[in-house]
Amino acid sequence: MRNWHSELKRLLLVMAAAAVTGLVLGELTLALLIALALYVAVNLFQLRRLHLWLTRNTADDHSDPPESFGIWGDIFDGIYRLQNQERKASAYLENIINKAQESSAALEMAFIMINKKGNLDWWNLASEKLLGLQYPKDRNQSVTNLIRDPLFADYFHRENYTQTLKIKAPGDSQRVLEFQIALFGEHERLMIVRDITQLHRLESMRKDFVGNVSHELGTPITVIKGYLEAIVDNMDELNPKWQNPMRQMRQQAMRMENIVRDLLTLASLETEAMSRQQDRINLAGLFQEIDNDLQQMFEEKSHKFEIECDDSFELTGKRSEMYSAISNLVVNAAKYTPAHGKIQLTAKKTKKSLLIAVTDNGVGIEAKHIPRLTERFYRVDSSRSADTGGTGLGLAIVKHILSRHNGELLIDSEFGKGSKFTCKLPLSRLSTGTNKTAPLAIANEAASIS
Ligand code: ADP
């Protein structure tokens, strides 16, 4: 600002000197014009120096600004200062980008950036190893052209990335990859791919082990239970001191048998892929069958059982599995509701889902237990559960069955008041009297590696 005032003063002085000289010589106008022309010439000269310096001053040539004074000195210094700041900022950013690239190259996971058109934008070194991407050939190629698995295309376009996708590696069926996508920016995607071959192998070994052990235990338990039943049936021939232990042994053998049966069910749900050929299940008929099969249980505890379901509701899925899931929930409702309780089984259609709910006015569950209920062997109260003949595997089975049907289990409960277990299934699985065609065209998710 100081230099700006000096510059104005300088201009006024020049003009005053020119005016005085002009008056003395009797050529005022000419003198003023010459003074102005000189002033403009000096400024043009400075402007030219600035232009030359700026054109010479490229990213590689950082020459100092030309020496100058007054307002022009300020302009040269100011530009020089801004240039230096910008150079420092871009060096800092370059350093960060280099570090990000180096660290992403050192990662074993593939990171791939995909633009809003679904084309590859950038990827790290691991992507070339895991997915065989080649730079620059594959840049701007559509990701679904490079990863041609239909399950991947389905996952990519669905845009609901809460779950990961596990499929075989393109061109190498021995390896299993896990895909996870996150949306960011203007509909761009960051895709993370991991090689989980080893993990998958261990998981398969675990499933096989549980399946095999349960299978092997089946026969010995049946034999033990058979003998124990025979002994209990002829209790009067037994020494009285052995009568109670025998009853307990038979009860525990029955529990063991139930556990083995449920473990085998879980093992087959985990290992067997859902077949493409699915049943068309009339829900009202299925509910009625469950009612008939559990009549004795309801009568024993004097429960009132109510069904509400549209006769036209038809569900596409595995009938045996849906029977098992819903009856498991109804049995639980009956078990965990004191005598004279009320249990309802309903099916309702909303905009996006089919909701099959089992509601009871039983003991209810404290909120802290709810997130863990579907874990294997998790029980709210193990002594009560053992009394009711529970295995702690029922809800894990329900959860598995629903996920095989692209659904989920929702649990609402209030301690002391009752519970509501809802099977939420996609509407695409439901057909009513008016839309008979839709459900069989269901994407078979179970084909992905589970
Ligand atoms: P269990 O064989 O022990 O019943 P589940 O997996 O079916 O095993 O259920 C897990 C736990 O959830 C049960 O032990 C019980 O404590 C609780 N539970 C399940 N259903 C109900 C219900 N309708 N009301 C209250 N508690 C329930």
Side-chain angles (χ1 to χ4, degrees), residues 298 301-306 333-334 337-344 359-362:
F298 298 137
K301 291 189 82 175
S302 309
H303 285 324
K304 196 169 155 205
F305 183 59
E306 289 173 359
T337 300
H340 303 286
K342 184 172 157 191
I343 296 156
Q344 287 165 300
T359 316
D360 65 58
N361 59 352

Side-chain angles (χ1 to χ4, degrees), residues 364-375:
I365 307 156
E366 280 177 87
K368 65 176 181 194
H369 296 295
I370 293 180
R372 300 195 58 191
L373 282 188
T374 54
E375 285 174 23

Side-chain angles (χ1 to χ4, degrees), residues 55-223:
T55 44
R56 206 177 51 228
N57 200 359
T58 57
D60 308 321
D61 181 4
H62 301 168
S63 57
D64 288 347
E67 280 299 327
S68 196
F69 62 90
I71 189 91
W72 283 102
D74 273 4
I75 291 172
F76 285 133
D77 290 349
I79 293 176
Y80 188 59
R81 218 174 22 251
L82 284 176
Q83 275 182 343
N84 275 347
Q85 278 171 5
E86 199 181 298
R87 270 189 205 116
K88 272 188 202 149
S90 65
Y92 175 72
L93 284 177
E94 206 177 300
N95 191 21
I96 288 186
I97 290 173
N98 284 344
K99 275 192 186 154
Q101 277 189 334
E102 276 169 30
S103 54
S104 72
L107 284 172
E108 302 231 328
M109 273 189 266
F111 281 86
I112 301 154
M113 282 191 195
I114 300 165
N115 65 21
K116 59 181 171 192
K117 289 185 192 151
N119 298 341
L120 300 185
D121 229 2
W122 174 91
W123 57 85
N124 68 346
L125 206 65
S127 316
E128 310 195 349
K129 220 167 76 190
L130 284 182
L131 297 166
L133 300 183
Q134 289 174 13
Y135 185 84
K137 200 179 111 212
D138 293 330
R139 208 166 162 243
N140 269 323
Q141 294 290 321
S142 158
V143 64
T144 44
N145 274 351
L146 293 165
I147 305 168
R148 289 188 161 267
D149 193 317
L151 286 169
F152 176 77
D154 197 37
Y155 177 69
F156 186 78
H157 294 302
R158 204 183 319 144
E159 300 202 349
N160 173 6
Y161 302 127
T162 45
Q163 285 185 343
T164 57
L165 171 77
K166 291 172 197 140
I167 51 171
K168 289 191 175 140
D172 183 355
S173 59
Q174 297 299 311
R175 282 188 306 134
V176 179
L177 301 182
E178 183 185 58
F179 291 77
Q180 167 102 64
I181 299 181
L183 282 166
F184 73 98
E186 290 176 22
H187 219 79
E188 286 155 292
R189 293 172 178 92
L190 173 66
M191 184 162 83
I192 301 167
V193 189
R194 283 198 309 151
D195 186 337
I196 54 156
T197 313
Q198 195 62 12
L199 215 73
H200 180 70
R201 213 168 277 152
L202 286 173
E203 181 68 2
S204 307
M205 275 163 62
R206 181 194 64 79
K207 286 177 191 168
D208 288 350
F209 175 76
V210 174
N212 291 340
V213 169
S214 317
H215 187 75
E216 292 301 321
L217 282 176
T219 317
I221 289 171
T222 313
V223 173

